[in-house]
Amino acid sequence: MPIDSAASTGNLLLDALSGSDRALIAPHLEPVTFAKGDTALSAGVAASHVIFPHVQTVVALIVATRDGRTAEIASVGHEGAIGGIIGEGRLPAAVSGLVQVGGAALRLDAERLRQAALGSETLRDLFARYADCFLAQLFQIAACNALHPIEQRCLRWLLSLQDRTGGDTLPITHELLASMLGVQRTYLTRILRVLQEQGLVRVGRGRITILDRRAVSYAACECHARVRIQCEAVLGAAYGADTNRRTEPAETLSRLR
């Protein structure tokens, strides 16, 4: 079914496009559905498509080591896109995209996007600014993984997931969260127990509930808020359209500005 170029798509990046720019790609957008655990992007394979997740669909970009361990380098939800958006699908993907929270998405041939961008300066500008925001996330997470304790990294990850799903209860297992953080499941279980004792989260089977967003924001490192500030400055039109997006306490943001 053709995508209505005037209606909301469920993806903030697409919805930030002007009507004329969206009309350039709308006929070529293909609805797809992902299940939790699906591979949306494969390392070493040309990223020939761009995938725009809908609300609540979340994809983690991960790196796997030779011994089978994995670590998250970024995650993308309905605020952005993955695949051939930075390298235009011409180069093999350096990471894999693992679906953390299943749901709907739109898929676009990377060459179609490239051709549309050639004909529209405003479309090129929007996606170039998104690329800047995506790189900012990569840089901040790299610093976070190197410098911050696992407790703060865990809370940063949970805040990011909450932003993208819009709910307090996050559909995430211990196994998947441990994999994203690059730690053993037993170690993560101990960390979550401490966070639960502090009244920050409630841990259930296959889910983790954030009990107090304000307290979690204070207890987490500054990385989540820094990425948000950068992206709002660079890509404000898209981020400002997200009515489901959770907010940080004003005091947390003001300390970083």
Side-chain angles (χ1 to χ4, degrees), residues 2-30 52 54 78 106-109 112-113 115-117 119-127 237-238 241:
I3 303 300
D4 187 340
S5 61
S8 173
T9 65
N11 178 276
L12 296 179
L13 191 59
L14 290 176
D15 288 349
L17 291 170
S18 67
S20 58
D21 282 343
R22 205 193 310 181
L24 293 173
I25 62 175
H28 311 293
L29 290 168
E30 174 191 3
F52 301 90
H54 280 203
H78 71 301
L106 290 170
R107 183 169 62 187
L108 175 67
D109 184 272
R112 295 283 191 182
L113 178 59
Q115 291 297 327
S120 171
E121 182 179 353
T122 54
L123 190 150
R124 288 198 306 273
D125 177 69
L126 178 66
F127 283 94

Side-chain angles (χ1 to χ4, degrees), residues 22-151:
R22 205 193 310 181
L24 293 173
I25 62 175
H28 311 293
L29 290 168
E30 174 191 3
V32 293
T33 302
F34 292 106
K36 181 179 180 179
D38 281 353
T39 299
L41 183 68
S42 298
V45 177
S48 59
H49 288 81
V50 182
I51 296 171
F52 301 90
H54 280 203
V55 176
Q56 297 191 342
T57 305
V58 182
V59 180
L61 300 181
I62 61 173
V63 171
T65 58
R66 186 168 54 186
D67 60 6
R69 292 182 296 171
T70 61
E72 172 218 11
I73 63 164
S75 58
V76 177
H78 71 301
E79 82 290 347
I82 65 167
I85 187 169
I86 297 176
E88 298 181 345
R90 297 174 177 174
L91 301 175
V95 298
S96 296
L98 179 69
V99 178
Q100 294 174 332
V101 182
L106 290 170
R107 183 169 62 187
L108 175 67
D109 184 272
E111 178 62 21
R112 295 283 191 182
L113 178 59
R114 189 180 75 84
Q115 291 297 327
L118 288 175
S120 171
E121 182 179 353
T122 54
L123 190 150
R124 288 198 306 273
D125 177 69
L126 178 66
F127 283 94
R129 286 186 285 123
Y130 174 70
D132 286 344
C133 291
F134 182 74
L135 290 174
Q137 182 184 181
L138 294 183
F139 296 154
Q140 195 70 46
I141 290 178
C144 184
N145 289 341
L147 300 174
H148 292 147
I150 183 63
E151 294 86 355

